[in-house]
Amino acid sequence: MIFSSDNWAGAHPLIAESLVKAAPGFAPAYGTSPLDRRVEAMLAEVFEREVAVFFVGTGTAANSLAFASVTRPGGHVFCHREAHVNSDECGAPEFFSLGARMAPVDGAFGKMDPERLEAEIKRFPPGFVHAGQPMAVTLTQATEAGTVYTLDEISAISEIAQRYSLPLHMDGARFANALVALDATPAEMTWKRGVDILSFGGTKNGCWCAEALILFDPSKTGDMPYLRKRSAQLFSKTRFVSAQLEAYLDKDLWLDLARHANAMAKRMADGIADSNSARLAWPSNANELFVILKTSNAEALKEKGALFYPWPVPHALAGTLAADEGLYRLVTSFATEPGDVDAFLEGCRSA
């Protein structure tokens, strides 16, 4: 009953096999092999347009390099208050963008409120040098709260970003989970809705260690090759990242894996909705659930072998939990079995 994180899950067998296949022989290094070029072409097909692709090893690297590529002196990146870039990346976005700061924006359950976003941007009027200047907007899809921006919600954020001439970045660590939840195409959820830069995640959804930074206007790559090299993310044997992504994208494996993870989360959510000892803190759209349990029940579940994390109560829920209750995050993955979910639900009933 491992629901700690989708990062705890291993690699899908087909992706592990791709690494074995790529191991023998020789290939040009630093992202110039035929396999690298083949995966770049696959991503262009996936997104229905020419794209610039930069393979990296972590989502934090992808996010940080995205901001580094658009950095401005005194720059501010507008993000949700509880976004990963603001809360969980140890200052890497600020470090790689040479001191840019995260400007937190509130909104219910992980999603920036457009009106609050615009109000926050207006706090930095042009010409007021002391405040710094707006630099970019970033949204997380799926969010850190397990919710998903609808296509119209992405457009609303994009329209504001465009009004202030700010590039729009999407942190897609759980991109596939959001995509299948919306039943949209990759193009519809990104550049067709005004997204300029995407951190395309594979690690949480069956890859070993594979992420890609995707720019939807290849003419704007600028210094990105140098930024990636300087950040130690230009792997000499990039083909091993590409091998993973080739298997990941082939025959829509990535979408199948995300559908399974989301289905396991729905199975869990349905069971919790029928439970007398647990309740959902809010509805989830992807593979993360946030559950309110009595702390004694949470400990009893852990003693039965369930692994999951306590979670900080977001601003929107402040003061709503009883003194003996806690908020906990449960994450399903491509490797979650129905029996794992059912065992947890049975543990809830007997806790």
Side-chain angles (χ1 to χ4, degrees), residues 111 141 148-156 182 189 193:
K111 296 195 280 188
Q141 182 77 327
V148 170
Y149 286 91
T150 66
L151 299 182
D152 287 343
E153 287 171 337
I154 296 171
S155 290
L182 291 179
M189 201 173 78
R193 295 285 169 163

Side-chain angles (χ1 to χ4, degrees), residues 284-313:
S284 171
N285 308 114
N287 65 317
E288 291 181 284
L289 297 176
F290 293 83
V291 180
I292 298 171
L293 295 166
K294 288 187 176 181
T295 52
S296 58
N297 288 354
E299 291 305 314
L301 283 162
K302 290 180 180 180
E303 289 176 4
K304 295 176 185 292
L307 297 177
F308 53 93
Y309 284 126
W311 208 251
V313 177

Side-chain angles (χ1 to χ4, degrees), residues 323-337:
D324 63 345
E325 291 181 327
L327 179 66
Y328 301 90
R329 187 188 74 162
L330 306 172
V331 189
T332 56
S333 74
F334 79 93
T336 301
E337 297 289 345

Side-chain angles (χ1 to χ4, degrees), residues 75-208:
H76 289 258
V77 178
F78 300 91
C79 63
H80 190 271
R81 181 179 298 278
E82 283 126 19
H84 202 270
V85 295
N86 192 44
S87 302
D88 295 286
E89 295 189 344
C90 196
E94 293 93 331
F95 179 79
F96 283 100
S97 57
L98 304 180
R101 288 166 286 177
M102 300 297 109
V105 178
D106 284 318
F109 309 124
K111 296 195 280 188
M112 284 186 293
D113 178 270
E115 291 183 2
R116 291 179 176 178
L117 170 62
E118 186 157 24
E120 190 66 26
I121 294 172
K122 287 180 177 179
R123 291 183 60 242
F124 302 89
F128 186 64
V129 67
H130 306 287
Q133 55 186 329
M135 188 177 101
V137 177
T138 179
L139 58 85
T140 311
Q141 182 77 327
T143 74
E144 293 299 301
T147 54
V148 170
Y149 286 91
T150 66
L151 299 182
D152 287 343
E153 287 171 337
I154 296 171
S155 290
I157 298 293
S158 171
E159 287 168 7
I160 294 169
Q162 291 175 6
R163 194 177 308 147
Y164 293 91
S165 301
L166 300 176
L168 178 60
H169 167 257
M170 177 179 284
D171 178 354
R174 296 184 174 93
F175 183 84
N177 300 95
L179 193 68
V180 299
L182 291 179
D183 193 23
T185 69
E188 288 169 343
M189 201 173 78
T190 54
W191 63 270
K192 287 186 176 181
R193 295 285 169 163
V195 175
D196 299 295
I197 310 173
L198 169 67
S199 296
F200 180 79
T203 304
K204 294 181 188 294
N205 192 38
C207 289
W208 168 68

